Amino acid sequence: MANNGENPSPDVGGKTVKLKADDGEIFEVEEAVAMELQTVKSFFDDDGVSYDTVVPLLNVSSTALAKVIQYCRRAVELRAKSGDDEGANEKAREEREGLEAELVREESDEGIKELILAANYLNIKDMLSFLCRAVGDRIKNKSVEYVRRFFVLENDFSPEEEERTRNEVAWAFEGVDAD
Amino acid sequence: MAMFKELPEDLVTQILLWLPVVSLLRFKCVCKSWYALITHQNFITKHLLQKKKNNNNRSNTQLLLKLRDLRWNYVVYTLDYETLQVSLTQSLPPLFSFGDYEEGGIYVVGSCNGLVCLHGNSIYEFNVVIWNPATKETKVVPESNVPPLACIGFGFDAKTNDYKIINIRFLFHPHSNSRNYPYQNYSYQKAVYSLNADSWRIVDWEHRRVHFLTDDYKGPMTYVNGVASWRVLGDGYDWGGVLSFDMSDEVFLETPLPDVVMRNRDPNFWEELFLLNESIAMAVSSHSEDWSNVCFDIWLLLEVGVKDSWTKLFTIGPGIPRPLGFWKNGTMFLENVNGLVLYDPSTKEMTDL
């Protein structure tokens, strides 16, 4: 690992890593933030890969990558703030939840799916977890038809099969949001 | 790129794990692969584990209250554990062929992983049912109409992923000498029902003779981590303890009560088992120094089967109503003539509920 001892804290203009999105746009990020993306971390864990190498992230759009980087940057900051102090921990947790809510609030269905796919590909566990939960919250009161459109699924039940399945749990269809 | 994105199945699963049961049941209709996914045992188990994890491994994420409504029908309220707010109201499952159970009543044997075991006593019938309030499915346990029972318990065998019911049945011996007290004329039989096998297995009772001190109104068993426990008294009433049944091994384990409890028992003694976190706790009536008032000593059994592991936690009273169980943060529910009271032992504050 080159140039290590000089600047240990990443937020003092230390080492950076270059990430390339699917459209070729390059993002330069602090090392600590880049390492939140386990995929990137694994990329550099291989012997002989220099930190100057640009990491190609072929499956991530620049829009999604920008949001991921922004989230991870804030998450790293928050984690640095909380230590052993329970009070600070609690506050950091609340702030992180606020950060997560902010990320998903404005997103369209397509946008949030794109983020999930990105978080999955980049292997960011916490982000993927809250994104899945956010989608769960979005769809839990929705109709079957809405869910099919959201997940791009064909209804492969015959009309009789579908009717029978619906009748099994007729009560579960009460109070569903209108599409 | 205006294409609609599809998510791979593993991500779909991760999303579905966050959904409440009612949504999952509805989404069985989305398509055949979702039907298969949602109804698969793997998914159901993962969903249960996820729920437990999100609730900090506290298994009582909801409380059920069974009360009669204005038309004298049984109604079940689901309460949120944290806030005690009613989140759902539903009627009991249509259990028994004879509609009216007002005579004997319907009792909760116990609950585990969201399943509730009920038994009902009417002058016509006695039946046991396993009920899932979230999916509203019910399973009538076959051949369960064999009163009288000394005791009944319900739990989960983690080793075989099976739900079980344990019945201790009376076996009367008609040829015994009729001069004897009635209790001499019977022995016990142990019957275990497995949900997976949907059948009973009957085994002779190899334990010592005990009397089960159960009171259906308060719930017969105390259950935690695959072990069901009851208070028992030995023949001759000189020995008392806790009898615990392990759902996996299907064996009984005895824990005698602490000597000091046995010594100080008076004819009106009152004891109740409940849970504190993952251990068995017991409230024992005792007297204040001048013997004028009743107090309650709260004990904790740290290790089932080990008499020396009984630890006295604290005493509440005098002047405090009977304790029923612990809620969160060490507060306790007490039973008053007017209803439930919440009590904080550290501040000694009482709140009517």
Side-chain angles (χ1 to χ4, degrees):
Chain A
M1 288 208 213
N3 303 332
N4 202 358
E6 306 297 310
N7 282 320
S9 61
D11 52 331
V12 190
K15 291 220 303 291
T16 62
V17 166
K18 295 193 189 67
L19 307 175
K20 184 163 80 166
D22 63 356
D23 59 358
E25 185 173 342
I26 308 256
F27 292 79
E28 191 157 354
V29 268
E30 302 78 25
E31 185 188 333
V33 175
M35 294 306 148
E36 291 287 297
L37 290 52
Q38 292 297 312
T39 307
V40 172
K41 185 165 186 298
S42 308
F43 182 88
F44 288 111
D45 278 347
D46 278 342
D47 285 338
V49 179
S50 131
Y51 275 72
D52 294 326
T53 315
V54 174
V55 185
L57 300 171
L58 301 172
N59 286 342
V60 187
S61 73
S62 44
T63 359
L65 190 54
K67 290 179 191 158
V68 165
I69 290 171
Q70 186 189 41
Y71 169 82
C72 290
R73 197 170 267 150
R74 301 265 299 273
V76 166
E77 278 170 20
L78 281 177
R79 208 175 313 131
K81 273 205 290 188
S82 73
D84 285 332
D85 180 355
E86 269 225 33
N89 255 335
E90 183 64 28
K91 189 161 184 301
R93 190 176 62 82
E94 276 173 18
E95 282 188 58
R96 201 191 65 234
E97 283 174 6
L99 171 64
E100 291 166 359
E102 200 185 300
L103 179 65
V104 300
R105 189 176 18 237
E106 300 293 317
E107 283 296 339
S108 65
D109 288 348
E110 286 313 304
I112 208 172
K113 281 194 280 180
E114 190 174 9
L115 281 178
I116 286 188
L117 287 167
N120 188 43
Y121 174 76
L122 296 170
N123 201 349
I124 313 167
K125 211 163 67 87
D126 287 343
M127 187 177 190
L128 184 59
S129 180
F130 87 75
L131 283 174
C132 287
R133 183 178 202 167
V135 172
D137 280 341
R138 261 192 205 203
I139 64 172
K140 71 182 175 198
N141 286 326
K142 296 286 191 241
S143 68
V144 169
E145 290 75 21
Y146 183 102
V147 168
R148 284 181 189 142
R149 285 197 301 270
F150 186 97
F151 288 92
V152 192
L153 294 166
E154 286 278 329
N155 175 11
D156 53 357
F157 283 116
S158 73
E160 298 79 32
E161 285 169 335
E162 182 168 358
E163 169 107 14
R164 199 174 41 231
T165 311
R166 277 186 189 244
N167 287 338
E168 271 173 22
V169 281
W171 58 272
F173 287 82
E174 292 163 23
V176 169
D177 290 349
D179 279 355
Chain B
M1 277 198 286
M3 252 176 38
F4 291 114
K5 293 176 188 51
E6 289 180 40
L7 296 179
E9 184 167 306
D10 65 321
L11 289 182
V12 169
T13 305
Q14 287 191 52
I15 292 170
L16 293 182
L17 284 176
W18 289 103
L19 293 178
V21 172
V22 57
S23 307
L24 288 172
L25 292 176
R26 191 167 67 242
F27 296 159
K28 283 199 294 188
C29 298
V30 166
C31 64
K32 287 185 180 172
S33 65
W34 275 41
Y35 186 96
L37 174 66
I38 291 170
T39 54
H40 198 283
Q41 183 60 56
N42 273 349
F43 179 80
I44 295 171
T45 307
K46 275 195 213 162
H47 187 262
L48 178 66
L49 288 175
Q50 172 112 326
K51 269 212 143 63
K52 281 192 177 172
K53 192 159 59 103
N54 293 340
N55 286 302
N56 298 317
N57 285 320
R58 184 180 49 237
S59 48
N60 302 339
T61 57
Q62 292 166 336
L63 303 172
L64 292 182
L65 264 192
K66 175 173 65 71
L67 294 174
R68 292 192 196 264
D69 68 8
L70 295 173
R71 273 171 294 142
W72 212 240
N73 294 320
Y74 275 119
V75 153
V76 176
Y77 297 96
T78 301
L79 306 180
D80 178 82
Y81 186 84
E82 286 292 314
T83 64
L84 298 183
Q85 297 295 320
V86 177
S87 60
L88 187 63
T89 306
Q90 54 186 322
S91 39
L92 280 176
L95 283 179
F96 310 100
S97 24
F98 293 92
D100 135 350
Y101 264 70
E102 292 166 22
E103 299 303 323
I106 301 177
Y107 303 103
V108 177
V109 173
S111 89
C112 181
N113 291 347
L115 293 183
V116 178
C117 182
L118 302 163
H119 79 92
N121 246 343
S122 80
I123 52 179
Y124 304 110
E125 271 192 336
F126 179 90
N127 266 311
V128 179
V129 163
I130 299 177
W131 176 44
N132 184 335
T135 65
K136 303 198 197 299
E137 292 167 292
T138 60
K139 164 95 184 117
V140 178
V141 175
E143 301 162 51
S144 50
N145 50 338
V146 275
L149 294 184
C151 82
I152 180 169
F154 172 70
F156 180 66
D157 175 354
K159 291 198 187 125
T160 58
N161 209 32
D162 193 8
Y163 292 93
K164 293 182 178 168
I165 297 176
I166 168 82
N167 271 1
I168 307 298
R169 305 170 172 182
F170 289 102
L171 255 192
F172 286 100
H173 303 295
H175 304 301
S176 301
N177 190 336
S178 59
R179 270 197 304 114
N180 293 343
Y181 285 113
Y183 71 76
Q184 301 278 5
N185 298 351
Y186 70 83
S187 59
Y188 283 144
Q189 212 181 36
K190 181 169 98 177
V192 180
Y193 170 80
S194 143
L195 184 60
N196 285 354
D198 193 21
S199 64
W200 292 90
R201 211 171 343 109
I202 295 179
V203 176
D204 281 329
W205 178 263
E206 69 281 321
H207 211 83
R208 73 154 98 197
R209 278 169 69 86
V210 292
H211 303 279
F212 287 88
L213 302 173
T214 61
D215 180 348
D216 276 340
Y217 291 100
K218 293 202 185 69
M221 73 162 190
T222 305
Y223 178 83
V224 66
N225 283 342
V227 177
S229 301
W230 300 266
R231 285 178 306 120
V232 294
L233 218 44
D235 255 358
Y237 298 4
D238 57 344
W239 178 92
V242 172
L243 196 63
S244 302
F245 181 74
D246 183 310
M247 293 285 159
S248 291
D249 306 332
E250 296 187 6
V251 288
F252 279 95
L253 203 56
E254 218 178 69
T255 317
L257 289 183
D259 289 332
V260 61
V261 171
M262 288 308 298
R263 266 200 307 272
N264 293 343
R265 260 185 181 173
D266 62 46
N268 296 323
F269 77 86
W270 183 88
E271 286 156 15
E272 184 71 39
L273 287 185
F274 37 81
L275 289 179
L276 175 56
N277 299 328
E278 308 237 310
S279 296
I280 296 174
M282 179 172 65
V284 180
S285 63
S286 67
H287 291 275
S288 59
E289 304 235 318
D290 57 0
W291 283 78
S292 60
N293 278 311
V294 174
C295 303
F296 297 99
D297 297 330
I298 311 293
W299 294 78
L300 194 66
L301 180 61
L302 294 173
E303 200 178 322
V304 173
V306 179
K307 176 174 166 185
D308 291 335
S309 73
W310 282 108
T311 310
K312 186 157 144 185
L313 291 181
F314 53 84
T315 302
I316 59 177
I320 303 279
R322 284 184 187 175
L324 291 179
F326 281 98
W327 188 34
K328 52 181 187 179
N329 300 331
T331 56
M332 302 184 79
F333 290 118
L334 308 179
E335 179 189 25
N336 218 346
V337 281
N338 303 322
L340 272 187
V341 169
L342 190 63
Y343 177 72
D344 186 336
S346 49
T347 65
K348 301 206 193 314
E349 259 178 59
M350 288 212 279
T351 328
D352 278 321
L353 289 176

